[in-house]
Amino acid sequence: MSGTATTGRGAQAPLPLTGTPDLSEVGDWIALLKPRVMYLVVFAGLIGLLLAPGSLHPALVATAILCIALGAGGAGAINMWYDRDIDAVMRRTARRPVPAGRIEPGAALGFGIALSVASVLILGLATNAVAAASLAFSIAFYVFVYTIWLKRRTPQNIVIGGAAGAFPPIVGWASVTGDITLEPLVLFAIIFMWTPPHFWALSLWAHADYERAGVPMLPVVSGARSTRLQILLYTVALAPLGLAPWALGFAGPAYAAAATLLGLGFLWHAWRVWREPQDAFGHSLAGDAAAKRTFRYSLLYLALLFAALPLDRLVSP
């Protein structure tokens, strides 16, 4: 990178000549991939790989995980390209690389498409067509169904669109087995049911952002009080669903104990959201402290619940 920069007196000072991009520029391209989301996606895919019967060569395991990460990152980059207009007016997202002008929209789109296509092709060549098709479907669902169709049209965007984030265990499982059976579908269902209370907890304190951007999140359309109730109801459904791997016989008592404790913890947090001091409209009088704690706990819940599955196999007879 070379060129000139304007000094405080208006003179042109030469920029340093380098053969590598600036670290902040690299960080912007990494930010396009939504790395915080990617971590959870990769972890869920890894659990699917570990639980699947059979085995893969370690190099193929690494390739499958890399493809899941690239697929998630590519979908995230396309999402940032499409949502650049609403991201620009929300405080939480205004500093993202595209709305902030640090990366051109077309470059972000091309980057996302390239990563998405490469991830599917490489996974298909390294493992099998079922895994590649599952990854391709998850990317397409996130981009076309959630981002383009649902997000700006219905408060059920997170409920239906949550399916996109629930595919990684299926992709991981299929990478080993070449098929899709009940076990990965149960993991899919857990993530699917987990997504609404997780995201609605966030939307309770970010509702002003969504309202300003015209995104019909549940607190904007139905109000905070209704959102609090939905968080509680979905958590009531999620807690017993977390025990399904044990009930169906592919997890043991150690997992059942962990799932019970984690589910009770989530229920307690959801109850605190419901009972948090609030005005007549359900808006928090305590700085949305309960919703913020619930959002953080929901991340811990899913990570520990899924980690308990392979650990259970180590300790159960």
Side-chain angles (χ1 to χ4, degrees):
M1 181 182 299
S2 64
T4 60
T6 302
T7 67
R9 297 182 179 180
Q12 298 293 312
L15 292 175
L17 295 173
T18 64
T20 58
D22 185 85
L23 287 179
S24 62
E25 182 181 342
V26 173
D28 285 335
W29 288 102
I30 293 174
L32 271 183
L33 307 180
K34 295 190 172 182
R36 286 185 293 181
V37 175
M38 186 193 295
Y39 296 148
L40 196 57
V41 167
V42 168
F43 179 70
L46 176 62
I47 295 302
L49 276 160
L50 293 176
L51 295 179
S55 62
L56 282 179
H57 189 279
L60 295 181
V61 171
T63 301
I65 291 299
L66 176 62
C67 289
I68 292 172
L70 291 179
I78 297 172
N79 171 271
M80 284 202 191
W81 161 77
Y82 189 81
D83 279 349
R84 63 192 184 277
D85 57 335
I86 60 176
D87 281 350
V89 299
M90 295 197 296
R91 288 186 303 172
R92 192 171 59 87
T93 57
R95 295 304 302 162
R96 285 176 171 175
V98 179
R102 298 191 302 276
I103 292 179
E104 290 294 323
L109 175 61
F111 186 54
I113 292 174
L115 289 182
S116 299
V117 172
S119 68
V120 172
L121 292 178
I122 295 171
L123 186 63
L125 292 172
T127 60
N128 58 75
V130 175
S134 300
L135 180 59
F137 187 80
S138 68
I139 294 170
F141 196 97
Y142 182 75
V143 171
F144 295 107
V145 177
Y146 171 67
T147 300
I148 296 177
W149 179 35
L150 294 173
K151 185 173 181 178
R152 306 183 189 215
R153 288 176 171 81
T154 171
Q156 296 301 306
N157 47 20
I158 289 301
V159 177
I160 303 169
F167 270 94
I170 293 178
V171 178
W173 181 282
S175 296
V176 178
T177 66
D179 62 10
I180 300 171
T181 57
L182 179 62
E183 292 91 335
L185 291 176
V186 169
L187 302 184
F188 173 96
I190 291 173
I191 299 177
F192 183 80
M193 192 62 66
W194 166 87
T195 302
H198 162 73
F199 211 95
W200 284 335
L202 166 66
S203 68
L204 273 175
W205 84 78
H207 71 278
D209 263 355
Y210 292 115
E211 187 172 7
R212 186 162 48 249
V215 179
M217 293 300 294
L218 192 62
V220 175
V221 175
S222 301
R225 184 70 173 171
S226 176
T227 303
R228 294 175 188 278
L229 178 59
Q230 291 299 313
I231 289 173
L232 180 59
L233 293 177
Y234 268 84
T235 306
V236 167
L238 173 64
L241 181 60
L243 286 165
W246 167 74
L248 293 171
F250 63 91
Y255 170 81
T260 299
L261 292 175
L262 290 167
L264 289 174
F266 209 156
L267 284 169
W268 182 81
H269 279 82
W271 176 254
R272 292 294 299 272
V273 171
W274 172 247
R275 298 298 299 168
E276 186 174 38
Q278 56 198 269
D279 62 20
F281 301 101
H283 298 135
S284 175
L285 299 176
D288 285 307
K292 292 174 182 177
R293 284 193 296 266
T294 298
F295 176 77
R296 290 192 295 267
Y297 180 82
S298 67
L299 293 169
L300 183 66
Y301 167 87
L302 192 65
L304 293 180
L305 186 75
F306 274 34
L309 284 164
L311 291 176
D312 173 82
R313 294 191 173 184
L314 295 177
V315 301
S316 295

